[in-house]
Amino acid sequence: MSFLPDLASWALGGGAGNPDNAGDGNGGEDGQQRQGNSLGAGGSGGGTGAGGGSGLTDDEIRRKRVARMMAMQQQQQQQNQRQEDEEETEQETEMDKMEVEPTTSTPTVADVDMADASTPATATAAATTPTGTVNNNSSSGSGSTAIPSSSESDRMDVVVDNAAVVVDSDEPRTKKTKASASSPAKASAAAPSAADMARKLAKKKDLLLRKTLSIALAGTTSTGSGTDQSCVVIDLGGSGSNDGASSSSAAAASSPEITVQSITEILAARLSLPRTHPSLRTAITSTQQNSGTGIVAYCGQCYVRASQEIKTVREGRERRDKRRRLKEEKAKGAEEAVEAATATGTTDSILNTHDEELIAILKEIQIQVVNYTASSLLEPDLFDLGTDGPSQLAAALLQSSVDPTNGITMNVAGSGTSFYSKLCDELMDVDEVGFGRVVGEAVMILSDALAKCDTVADGGGGGGDTGGGGDASPLVLVNALTALCGNKAAAAVVATHPTFLLPPAGSAAASERITPPQPVVPPDANQQQAQLYRMMAALTRGHRRGYDRRSGPALERDTIVGRVMKVGCPRDDPDFLTAFANMGSRSKKDSDNTTNGLRSQLTAYQVAVNGLVKTLITAGAGPRGKMMDWFRDALLVNSGAAAMRPDRSKVSDQATLINVTVALLKLCEPFLANDKKAGLIDPDFVSSPSDHGGLYATEGDDAIPRLAENPPSPAQPYAPKNSFIPLCFFLAARSIHLSVIPALDLHESLLRWSSRAYHDAQARGDNGRTDPDFNRYLARVLAHEVTIFSPGLLSDSLRFSNAMSGLLLRITDDELARMPEHFIDDLCDCVTMMSHSKPEAMRGVDVANVFKVVVKLLSPSYAKLVRNYNLRAKLGDVLHDLYLPPKTNHRDAVPSSVYCDPTAGGQPYLLSDKLAQETLAPSLLLLYGEVEHTGYYEKMNHRAKISELLRFLWESSEHRSAFRKISQNKESFIKFSNGLMNETNHQIAEAMEKLVEIRRVQVQMGNPQEWASVPEEQRETISSRHEANEREVKSTLLGLNKTLEMLGWLNADPDIRRLFLLDEMVSRLVNMLFHVLMKLVGAKGLELKVDNPESYNFRPKDMLRDLCSIFANFSSAPEFCLECARSGYYDAELVAKAGRTCRKLNLLTPENLEAFESLAEKVDAASRDVEDFDELTKDAPDEFLDPLMCTFMKDPVFLPTSEKYMDRATITQHLLNDPKDPFNRKDLTIDMVQPAPQLKERMNLWLEEKRQASTKE
């Protein structure tokens, strides 16, 4: 084992990887010496590995092994770093993109340093640098790279900076390494000569010209057999050619030099070519571009490519500088490396000089393409390629909107550096008038193309060479318009274009009538074709209706922005209706997919429209003012859009108005969620005609009603801190009134029509889902929802409603009085309709201000300010629909974030708000009476909601103190109780009548023979009426149950119970209670049995329990018993029967049952008093009798409108239901009624005399 120490020493020396261990055991003098030393150290043996031990201990061997391994690891790390540097250099220089044979692809600027393989100087340089060559077939040695054996003709030398690489012809994409800089000799061999550098610079210029201008100069090496076919060959000494037939010798003889000065001549030669020149067609075909042969598109592309090449050249210089710095850092302390780094720096300096020259050429190209394009646009006859300059500009803008990274509007080096910006600047500098002409013609080309579009799905969607518009989609056209207005000077031209605004109001042009041409039957059409043609013309007659020059139709058909705004998703468009055809029998997923697909197109288009508006707004004061003037005009000419049936010859389409609203809401977006900016909304805008331009007029045909009848004028002239914010806000408020609210109303109407069609089909025995009428209405509903239920529109409208509420909360009462009434009306409609149709859209949207303003305006102190009863009723509906915590499934969809106060731990706003705790209970009691004037059917719906709200508040301890304050406002409570009694009388009468009819039809249908004997047409009529009765009675009985419940829990409070006993109310209360009792337990009451009564909300036992509980509460009141004795509805037998029923069914508590049964005895006693008083007053003078009731007056009052006297209780009851004088129908309120003390005195004296006379008798 004596050979082991020698083997260990060899391994510690690095083994075969150590150059010192190379060769065989006895190979060479060095090897023998190393071996001898090793053996000598061991002290024994000689020869080749035959000696004894090495003389090293095990610890020494181990230490040397560890040291050698660390050295080898460090060496491996250095080698890996060198390899990474080499790979980085390969990627930076992109040498792997090169091929041996010429190709038709255009080289990049980074490729320009590559020399041709036939260049002798390069081959020589490569041959003298063997350590810098790599061959894929060479085997790896012990540190050196073998030179390939192939001949020089089989490889191509490529020079990159000062590195030489040999690429085999059989495998051109070989791996490359950096040239070694280990010695000055090698470094100097790799450095190219001055001739090489000059030749490479010429090569760079030639490639640069081809890359940026797609031009090859005749006489250069690039025009040989391998010339790129996308280039046009230009002969500066003659006409352009593309035959590539010039010989190599001729090319060498005439090689033109490319300089900054020659760019103008080269471009002029290229642009002077005629359109029909064959080289232009060949170039376009070979590059497969659709940019046309026009000057604008060509020069724009040249500008962009020149910018890209400038960037590439600069990046190449930065990489060289980085490599040079790295070499200098590595060269510290090594003399040979310092010399190599110095040589590299010298080469880099030359290359940097070349780069500066290249950059100068590229910048000159940018300047000249802009100049030539401007000249061509101003002088269309200058070049044959530029005769249709504005059309070319429009087409280039369209292409830019499709491919913005390569278009004429791409900023190549920051804002204002696009070809289009430079072109506009040049045109403005040369000829401002000509610039306006060019931009004006271009914008009209795009606008005329938009005029042909009605929906977002119109057009072909392209944006290439479409002849300035062609079949481009509306989205592309709007993006092109936005790009055109991206230059402020161009935007100013667009804003001052004659078609930007409508003619001024009152001008001769404004009243000019426009009548679209009527279609004429072609003369060669046969009779059938002519009839079909006339039929189609009749169907499209609405689109050819005449209109004034200043009107809604003119706005969307004849103005630039109007043509943009009119494109949308019209609900009546045949294509959209077809998309939703037969949706009744299709799945919901199918419906959702169709809706989402169309809505995504609409949303993308609206985003583009918003971009156009924002571009004009930010283009300067001039365009901004014109844009806002257009919005004013749009709202002024569409003032009739909110009508029930708007005149389509005067107003714009709803799609136009919706797009206007979307754009205005986006302008409001920055300050809607910012309280500080929202504080800049000045409410006096609506009182400044010079600012609102007639939008909020207070007189004339278009007068806007204010909250107060005669509000006070502002004390100071309108002088806002920021004029733009209130302008946007109040324009948006008006726009919502004219678009969103009518659209939501129409949606509810469409739903009703579709529901009616469905039920009609079911009544006929048909399948409602497949019924044609139902599917037609359903298609219109779904098509309409595409637009109005867009998530962006819904959320923006909600945020605006909350912002409007915030404004109404913070302004003074005088400012509030001047606010248009429709602000509050729209606010209520928006949130309630959304809670019904799209409650999920309300999730996460803050609507706290809406609750607060509703509570404020419902409070008694603002009752006289909000005079409209319908509007006050809507305020109550908002509280119910949005803020009443849901207790039934149909309201579970309203998110809790809507009705819960996050600042109060999630408690409902109805309980947490301080103002609500103080005023809401009396406000709702007052409102219950006021809705009497809202309409026959509407009041039932309103009162049902108010009842639910009152019940919720009654059960909440936070509102108990407010209920106790109700007794302090007698007038309000009288209105409430009057409405309560009217509602109860109506509901019980209607319900019982309908139940009788329902029972009759049920019995008829239950007898098959009898039902079959009825004619089919009559059966359909009976069935339809039966279904209507069922729907009505369900609603009526539900309201009646809630009314009786409310009467019960309200009268449990003694203070409130006393209010019902007032002279004005007690007689109405008694009559109402006995009317209901008679319906329930009379001759046909409890015997009335309908099938499944619970489905109709008919619960007679519960109703009787609540009613008898109310009687029991009032039985101890003498006023009540006395009025029962006077009532014509009182029937002792009826009361006794009701008591027996309650006892039998155990409906009342023992205390209430006893009180109810005692009522008959008390009424009998009171009847004797009534008889005595009637006997006493039977011969009273007529002046003491109420003229309507013919009863002795208790509290006579004087009516100033008719100069008549009436009992206060009688006239009060009359005015609660009819605010007119009963004698002459003049307006009369209870406040106008005057006491009659003198008459009262005479009546008292007369009574006293009668009593005394009666006593004496």
Side-chain angles (χ1 to χ4, degrees):
M1 302 294 291
S2 60
F3 66 92
L4 288 177
D6 293 335
L7 182 62
S9 298
W10 179 82
L12 283 173
N18 189 344
D20 294 338
N21 295 333
D24 53 278
N26 295 314
E29 180 180 353
D30 292 340
Q32 292 178 359
Q33 182 63 35
R34 285 194 299 272
Q35 188 180 34
N37 292 339
S38 175
L39 294 175
S44 63
T48 309
S54 63
L56 298 176
T57 65
D58 291 343
D59 290 340
E60 289 174 341
I61 291 173
R62 188 177 297 107
R63 283 196 299 270
K64 293 191 112 186
R65 182 181 296 116
V66 171
R68 174 56 64 187
M69 290 176 65
M70 292 179 64
M72 291 173 63
Q73 183 178 6
Q74 184 177 3
Q75 182 179 5
Q76 184 64 36
Q77 290 176 350
Q78 293 175 352
Q79 183 177 354
N80 291 342
Q81 183 62 41
R82 285 194 301 270
Q83 184 176 357
E84 291 177 2
D85 292 342
E86 292 168 359
E87 292 177 354
E88 180 181 359
T89 302
E90 294 174 26
Q91 296 175 358
E92 292 172 351
T93 56
E94 300 179 10
M95 290 296 295
D96 57 336
K97 297 180 182 178
M98 287 299 299
E99 298 179 2
V100 176
E101 296 296 332
T103 65
T104 59
S105 62
T106 306
T108 63
V109 174
D111 301 328
V112 180
D113 286 331
M114 292 181 285
D116 191 89
S118 62
T119 304
T122 308
T124 304
T128 57
T129 317
T131 59
T133 61
V134 177
N135 190 293
N136 284 346
N137 299 323
S138 62
S139 59
S140 58
S142 60
S144 62
T145 304
I147 301 175
S149 58
S150 58
S151 64
E152 292 294 326
S153 61
D154 292 332
R155 68 175 184 265
M156 179 182 73
D157 297 347
V158 183
V159 178
V160 181
D161 295 344
N162 62 337
V165 180
V166 178
V167 184
D168 285 356
S169 59
D170 293 336
E171 194 170 351
R173 302 178 68 86
T174 57
K175 184 176 180 181
K176 300 158 282 288
T177 60
K178 290 191 297 184
S180 172
S182 58
S183 67
K186 294 177 182 179
S188 61
S193 64
D196 290 339
M197 299 298 287
R199 185 191 57 77
K200 287 198 297 181
L201 177 59
K203 181 74 170 181
K204 288 180 181 181
K205 291 179 180 180
D206 180 58
L207 296 178
L208 204 64
L209 206 62
R210 292 194 290 137
K211 176 70 174 179
T212 56
L213 301 180
S214 298
I215 292 175
L217 294 182
T220 61
T221 56
S222 64
T223 57
S225 59
T227 302
D228 189 347
Q229 294 300 309
S230 65
C231 293
V232 176
V233 178
I234 299 296
D235 185 358
L236 294 183
S239 61
S241 64
N242 195 32
D243 53 15
S246 55
S247 62
S248 301
S249 59
S254 62
S255 297
E257 183 179 3
I258 301 173
T259 63
V260 171
Q261 292 74 20
S262 65
I263 294 299
T264 303
E265 184 181 1
I266 294 171
L267 264 175
R270 166 61 176 82
L271 299 178
S272 298
L273 296 176
R275 290 178 182 270
T276 57
H277 197 281
S279 61
L280 295 181
R281 293 197 298 271
T282 303
I284 295 172
T285 303
S286 63
T287 55
Q288 297 299 311
Q289 294 177 351
N290 190 28
S291 58
T293 59
I295 286 181
V296 178
Y298 169 73
C299 290
Q301 293 169 0
C302 293
Y303 181 92
V304 173
R305 290 196 292 261
S307 303
Q308 294 170 345
E309 291 302 319
I310 290 175
K311 181 180 178 181
T312 302
V313 171
R314 287 173 175 168
E315 288 175 350
R317 183 167 61 185
E318 290 174 0
R319 288 195 296 269
R320 286 197 305 272
D321 292 343
K322 180 179 179 181
R323 289 196 299 269
R324 179 176 52 78
R325 287 192 297 270
L326 289 175
K327 290 180 179 180
E328 291 174 352
E329 291 177 0
K330 293 179 180 179
K332 293 179 179 178
E335 182 178 352
E336 292 182 355
V338 169
E339 294 179 2
T342 301
T344 300
T346 302
T347 303
D348 287 351
S349 177
I350 298 173
L351 292 174
N352 289 345
T353 301
H354 291 175
D355 289 347
E356 291 297 333
E357 187 174 351
L358 295 176
I359 290 174
I361 292 174
L362 291 169
K363 288 183 176 180
E364 182 65 16
I365 289 174
Q366 289 183 313
I367 293 172
Q368 293 304 323
V369 293
V370 170
N371 292 343
Y372 275 118
T373 305
S375 300
S376 177
L377 290 172
L378 294 175
E379 298 292 339
D381 297 333
L382 185 62
F383 299 111
D384 184 47
L385 296 176
T387 53
D388 56 344
S391 179
Q392 291 185 26
L393 178 60
L397 290 168
L398 286 169
Q399 181 63 31
S400 184
S401 65
V402 175
D403 183 14
T405 58
N406 294 311
I408 65 172
T409 58
M410 186 191 74
N411 286 314
V412 296
S415 178
T417 59
S418 68
F419 172 77
Y420 176 66
S421 295
K422 298 295 185 183
L423 178 61
C424 290
D425 294 343
E426 178 68 15
L427 288 169
M428 281 290 291
D429 291 341
V430 175
D431 186 353
E432 186 173 347
V433 175
F435 170 69
R437 174 186 58 79
V438 171
V439 173
E441 292 181 17
V443 76
M444 286 312 299
I445 291 171
L446 298 174
S447 181
D448 289 343
L450 265 173
K452 302 174 184 177
C453 303
D454 291 318
T455 75
V456 293
D458 288 343
D465 188 15
T466 61
D471 62 347
S473 70
L475 177 62
V476 173
L477 289 167
V478 172
N479 284 332
L481 275 174
T482 304
L484 185 145
C485 297
N487 180 269
K488 292 185 177 181
V493 171
V494 173
T496 56
H497 195 275
T499 62
F500 190 84
L501 294 176
L502 291 172
S507 65
S511 58
E512 180 184 346
R513 192 71 177 173
I514 300 176
T515 304
Q518 301 299 314
V520 179
V521 178
D524 56 343
N526 58 36
Q527 184 178 0
Q528 184 178 4
Q529 291 172 338
Q531 184 178 0
L532 180 62
Y533 193 87
R534 281 190 291 268
M535 182 181 67
M536 296 302 297
L539 292 175
T540 60
R541 185 168 50 248
H543 296 282
R544 294 179 279 103
R545 187 184 293 118
Y547 57 90
D548 290 342
R549 179 73 70 180
R550 181 178 174 82
S551 63
L555 179 87
E556 61 187 7
R557 298 179 191 180
D558 301 331
T559 66
I560 295 172
V561 181
R563 291 174 172 180
V564 172
M565 294 291 182
K566 77 180 179 70
V567 178
C569 293
R571 64 181 181 277
D572 295 325
D573 184 81
D575 292 336
F576 287 98
L577 294 177
T578 302
F580 292 106
N582 301 317
M583 196 56 74
S585 56
R586 291 158 64 181
S587 66
K588 186 178 184 300
K589 182 179 180 181
D590 189 11
S591 172
D592 291 341
N593 290 338
T594 304
T595 299
N596 293 334
L598 294 173
R599 188 173 290 158
S600 64
Q601 294 183 63
L602 176 63
T603 301
Y605 182 77
Q606 289 175 340
V607 169
V609 172
N610 295 336
L612 173 61
V613 172
K614 183 178 179 181
T615 300
L616 288 168
I617 291 293
T618 57
R624 178 168 60 249
K626 294 293 185 180
M627 187 70 249
M628 302 314 291
D629 287 343
W630 185 92
F631 279 125
R632 280 194 195 91
D633 279 351
L635 301 178
L636 284 170
V637 298
N638 285 289
S639 59
M644 291 288 292
R645 293 183 179 274
D647 187 348
R648 292 303 170 192
S649 67
K650 296 182 179 180
V651 302
S652 301
D653 189 78
Q654 199 168 76
T656 302
L657 296 174
I658 289 290
N659 284 336
V660 169
T661 300
V662 170
L664 286 170
L665 287 174
K666 286 302 177 184
L667 291 180
C668 296
E669 196 172 52
F671 56 84
L672 288 184
N674 188 316
D675 292 339
K676 183 177 180 180
K677 291 183 178 180
L680 297 174
I681 302 173
D682 194 324
D684 286 340
F685 175 89
V686 299
S687 302
S688 177
S690 60
D691 291 278
H692 62 63
L695 281 178
Y696 295 102
T698 55
E699 50 186 37
D701 294 339
D702 296 327
I704 307 298
R706 298 316 206 243
L707 276 179
E709 188 172 0
N710 294 304
S713 300
Q716 300 293 333
Y718 177 64
K721 295 181 180 178
N722 182 306
S723 60
F724 185 70
I725 288 179
L727 175 61
C728 291
F729 183 81
F730 288 108
L731 288 182
R734 187 66 182 156
S735 185
I736 287 175
H737 177 71
L738 298 175
S739 62
V740 175
I741 303 304
L744 291 174
D745 285 337
L746 177 62
H747 179 256
E748 292 198 345
S749 298
L750 290 172
L751 286 176
R752 286 195 298 269
W753 297 339
S754 62
S755 177
R756 185 179 304 164
Y758 179 84
H759 287 294
D760 288 346
Q762 293 288 98
R764 295 193 303 267
D766 299 334
N767 185 349
R769 289 187 171 275
T770 59
D771 180 69
D773 290 339
F774 169 71
N775 278 281
R776 184 169 61 253
Y777 282 121
L778 182 60
R780 294 185 66 192
V781 169
L782 296 174
H784 191 49
E785 288 181 352
V786 171
T787 300
I788 64 169
F789 287 160
S790 172
L793 177 61
L794 294 179
S795 59
D796 288 347
S797 299
L798 276 176
R799 279 192 285 268
F800 186 88
S801 297
N802 196 61
M804 175 62 77
S805 301
L807 173 68
L808 298 176
L809 284 171
R810 69 174 175 82
I811 59 180
T812 66
D813 288 351
D814 286 346
E815 292 171 334
L816 182 61
R818 292 191 289 269
M819 289 296 103
E821 192 177 72
H822 75 73
F823 284 179
I824 303 171
D825 204 349
D826 296 343
L827 185 155
C828 295
D829 286 342
C830 182
V831 296
T832 52
M833 291 182 187
M834 209 171 294
S835 70
H836 300 160
S837 302
K838 279 291 179 181
E840 64 274 12
M842 308 181 78
R843 190 179 307 278
V845 180
D846 182 15
V847 287
N849 287 338
V850 176
F851 175 83
K852 294 176 181 178
V853 79
V854 168
V855 172
K856 173 182 176 179
L857 296 178
L858 277 178
S859 63
S861 57
Y862 288 92
K864 293 184 178 180
L865 180 63
V866 184
R867 300 163 291 125
N868 188 321
Y869 291 125
N870 288 287
L871 180 55
R872 291 182 60 79
K874 286 183 178 182
L875 293 172
D877 290 348
V878 171
L879 288 179
H880 177 272
D881 295 349
L882 266 74
Y883 299 102
L884 181 65
K887 292 185 178 180
T888 56
N889 291 333
H890 73 278
R891 289 201 63 246
D892 285 345
V894 177
S896 60
S897 60
V898 172
Y899 57 82
C900 290
D901 186 356
T903 63
Q907 193 178 22
Y909 284 107
L910 286 170
L911 303 181
S912 65
D913 187 77
K914 297 299 181 184
L915 183 62
Q917 294 174 7
E918 296 172 1
T919 67
L920 194 52
S923 299
L924 291 175
L925 288 175
L926 175 63
L927 182 63
Y928 194 96
E930 291 175 335
V931 298
E932 181 73 25
H933 307 287
T934 59
Y936 182 76
Y937 293 104
E938 291 80 1
K939 66 181 181 181
M940 292 190 294
N941 184 45
H942 294 316
R943 282 173 174 163
K945 294 180 178 182
I946 296 172
S947 298
E948 290 189 27
L949 285 166
L950 285 170
R951 182 60 182 267
F952 178 80
L953 300 183
W954 178 264
E955 296 174 350
S956 306
S957 59
E958 292 86 351
H959 291 268
R960 281 301 172 88
S961 60
F963 274 101
R964 296 190 184 98
K965 294 179 182 178
I966 291 175
S967 59
Q968 301 173 7
N969 193 332
K970 174 183 173 181
E971 182 181 349
S972 297
F973 186 82
I974 288 175
K975 290 182 179 181
F976 159 71
S977 58
N978 178 73
L980 188 69
M981 294 168 196
N982 286 346
E983 191 71 12
T984 305
N985 286 330
H986 164 74
Q987 288 172 339
I988 191 65
E990 183 176 8
M992 293 307 167
E993 180 184 352
K994 300 292 185 186
L995 285 172
V996 171
E997 190 174 347
I998 288 172
R999 177 60 181 169
R1000 182 181 59 80
V1001 176
Q1002 286 179 344
V1003 172
Q1004 186 179 17
M1005 290 181 172
N1007 187 337
Q1009 294 180 350
E1010 180 184 355
W1011 184 244
S1013 65
V1014 179
E1016 182 178 356
E1017 184 177 352
Q1018 188 177 352
R1019 284 203 307 267
E1020 290 182 1
T1021 303
I1022 294 173
S1023 298
S1024 177
R1025 179 63 181 170
H1026 178 66
E1027 291 177 359
N1029 287 338
E1030 287 183 322
R1031 291 194 296 269
E1032 290 181 19
V1033 81
K1034 286 178 184 178
S1035 173
T1036 300
L1037 286 174
L1038 178 62
L1040 179 60
N1041 291 332
K1042 292 181 179 180
T1043 302
L1044 290 176
E1045 288 177 6
M1046 184 168 60
L1047 266 175
W1049 50 258
L1050 277 176
N1051 286 291
D1053 187 290
D1055 294 333
I1056 296 178
R1057 189 162 61 244
R1058 280 195 294 271
L1059 293 175
F1060 279 101
L1061 298 175
L1062 294 171
D1063 290 341
E1064 295 89 338
M1065 299 309 304
V1066 64
S1067 62
R1068 292 290 314 281
L1069 175 65
V1070 169
N1071 292 336
M1072 181 268 294
L1073 293 176
F1074 278 111
H1075 178 231
V1076 177
L1077 186 64
M1078 181 180 64
K1079 294 292 185 181
L1080 287 176
V1081 298
K1084 299 181 181 179
L1086 293 178
E1087 289 79 11
L1088 181 62
K1089 297 183 182 298
V1090 295
D1091 296 340
N1092 194 14
E1094 188 66 29
S1095 64
Y1096 302 109
N1097 297 313
F1098 182 45
R1099 297 184 286 270
K1101 295 179 182 179
D1102 294 343
M1103 295 169 66
L1104 182 61
R1105 179 199 61 209
D1106 295 335
L1107 187 63
C1108 291
S1109 297
I1110 296 171
F1111 274 114
N1113 289 334
F1114 284 105
S1115 63
S1116 60
E1119 305 95 322
F1120 183 82
C1121 296
L1122 186 63
E1123 212 48 58
C1124 287
R1126 291 174 178 165
S1127 174
Y1129 287 99
Y1130 176 74
D1131 184 348
E1133 180 58 31
L1134 193 67
V1135 174
K1137 183 179 180 181
R1140 291 193 298 269
T1141 303
C1142 290
R1143 183 178 293 277
K1144 177 182 178 180
L1145 300 177
N1146 195 25
L1147 299 179
L1148 298 177
T1149 63
E1151 295 81 4
N1152 281 348
L1153 181 61
E1154 181 180 356
F1156 178 73
E1157 290 178 337
S1158 69
L1159 180 63
E1161 181 181 351
K1162 294 177 181 179
V1163 172
D1164 288 341
S1167 297
R1168 291 189 290 271
D1169 294 337
V1170 171
E1171 292 175 359
D1172 293 342
F1173 186 78
D1174 289 344
E1175 181 66 24
L1176 185 67
T1177 59
K1178 65 180 180 180
D1179 58 347
D1182 290 343
E1183 64 172 330
F1184 296 166
L1185 301 179
D1186 183 271
L1188 293 183
M1189 305 300 294
C1190 294
T1191 56
F1192 193 84
M1193 292 186 291
K1194 293 183 180 180
D1195 184 10
V1197 292
F1198 178 72
L1199 308 184
T1201 50
S1202 61
E1203 298 183 350
K1204 300 287 186 179
Y1205 290 92
M1206 289 187 66
D1207 194 1
R1208 181 181 294 275
T1210 304
I1211 190 60
T1212 300
Q1213 288 294 328
H1214 171 79
L1215 293 178
L1216 285 171
N1217 301 304
D1218 183 11
K1220 302 286 185 181
D1221 189 309
F1223 299 102
N1224 57 17
R1225 306 302 299 161
K1226 292 183 179 181
D1227 291 339
L1228 180 65
T1229 63
I1230 195 64
D1231 296 335
M1232 299 167 62
V1233 173
Q1234 302 171 7
Q1238 295 179 352
L1239 178 60
K1240 178 66 175 175
E1241 182 66 24
R1242 292 199 305 272
M1243 293 173 65
N1244 289 339
L1245 290 175
W1246 184 85
L1247 275 177
E1248 184 63 27
E1249 291 176 357
K1250 292 290 290 184
R1251 287 192 179 100
Q1252 291 177 0
S1254 177
T1255 302
K1256 291 179 181 179
E1257 293 178 0

